[in-house]
Amino acid sequence: MFTGIIETLGSIQELKKDNDNLHITVKSAITKELKIDQSVAHNGVCLTVVHIENDSYTVTAIQETIHKTTISDWKTSDIVNLERAMKLGDRLDGHIVQGHVDQIAVCKNIEEANGSWYFTFEYDASLNNITIEKGSVTVNGVSLTVVNSKTNEFSVAIIPYTYEHTNFNSFVLGTKVNLEFDVIGKYVARLHNLHQ
């Protein structure tokens, strides 16, 4: 379980195929605090630490995870948003995030607004995921509030701190991102669909 508040950034050092799996080695300032079997969200994807060496650690993604996320596009030297699993008793500054990506979206528009930024993302509405105005959504692991919610797109406002301390500052038009929709909204939508 995560909060969507990014702790730090990591740099991908190596990508190594192993049958259908992909071993991803990441260099990060939090490496010395990690343990084997610990969960870490990478751009919103929950992955398990399987190896630690010096200032780098390795996680493994299975084929289903690779298929449903942007991992297949990752390259060495890419910067990823990192968050360790939340501790019981900590403040929940973002919202409840599972680290289970629902689908990929594409950055459709970036608008600067006097020191902040509005990013608009488009996604495939046929998968029945929804956003609501002022609801929560996770973009590359970052907990954000939805503005301008539509059937297959939404916008988020990014303050300078978030822009500087996440990989949002590397987004351009066409950048693919991982989306996790609000877990409560997903349950409500599922119940609604079952009773129609």
Side-chain angles (χ1 to χ4, degrees):
M1 198 69 71
F2 304 91
T3 66
I5 303 300
I6 302 306
E7 281 187 78
T8 190
L9 297 170
S11 172
I12 296 176
Q13 301 297 295
E14 183 181 29
L15 298 162
K16 187 175 178 184
K17 285 286 285 177
D18 179 12
N19 294 318
D20 282 344
N21 298 331
L22 182 66
H23 301 297
I24 305 158
T25 301
V26 180
K27 181 177 180 179
S28 171
I30 62 170
T31 300
K32 63 185 177 297
E33 301 170 41
L34 297 178
K35 296 177 182 164
I36 302 296
D37 284 340
Q38 194 167 17
S39 295
V40 179
H42 300 73
N43 278 357
V45 184
C46 179
L47 299 169
T48 302
V49 176
V50 296
H51 181 74
I52 299 171
E53 188 172 331
N54 301 321
D55 58 356
S56 296
Y57 65 92
T58 302
V59 293
T60 302
I62 64 172
Q63 185 59 41
E64 181 182 0
T65 305
I66 296 166
H67 177 71
K68 289 186 175 179
T69 69
T70 61
I71 289 176
S72 61
D73 296 330
W74 291 2
K75 302 176 297 301
T76 54
S77 78
D78 277 359
I79 302 300
V80 291
N81 297 325
L82 300 176
E83 180 190 0
R84 288 177 288 173
M86 84 179 174
K87 294 182 201 170
L88 225 52
D90 277 358
R91 289 185 181 90
L92 183 60
D93 291 321
H95 71 283
I96 296 171
V97 177
Q98 295 180 298
H100 302 157
V101 172
D102 294 305
Q103 66 184 97
I104 294 171
V106 176
C107 183
K108 178 178 167 175
N109 191 42
I110 303 170
E111 180 184 338
E112 193 168 353
N114 293 320
S116 292
W117 293 263
Y118 284 97
F119 287 81
T120 301
F121 298 98
E122 186 174 45
Y123 61 94
D124 180 358
S126 71
L127 297 177
N128 295 322
N129 291 307
I130 60 166
T131 59
I132 61 166
E133 200 76 19
K134 305 295 185 274
S136 297
V137 68
T138 307
V139 177
N140 267 9
V142 182
S143 173
L144 297 164
T145 301
V146 172
V147 295
N148 198 22
S149 174
K150 296 181 182 174
T151 302
N152 68 330
E153 71 176 54
F154 64 91
S155 299
V156 291
I158 301 298
I159 62 172
Y161 182 89
T162 304
Y163 187 82
E164 292 162 15
H165 291 89
T166 69
N167 59 12
F168 264 83
N169 57 39
S170 68
F171 292 3
V172 295
L173 298 185
T175 295
K176 292 180 183 176
V177 296
N178 295 314
L179 294 184
E180 181 179 333
F181 295 86
D182 181 61
V183 67
I184 297 169
K186 287 191 282 191
Y187 277 106
V188 170
R190 175 81 171 127
L191 286 170
H192 177 73
N193 289 338
L194 286 174
H195 297 290
Q196 280 190 343

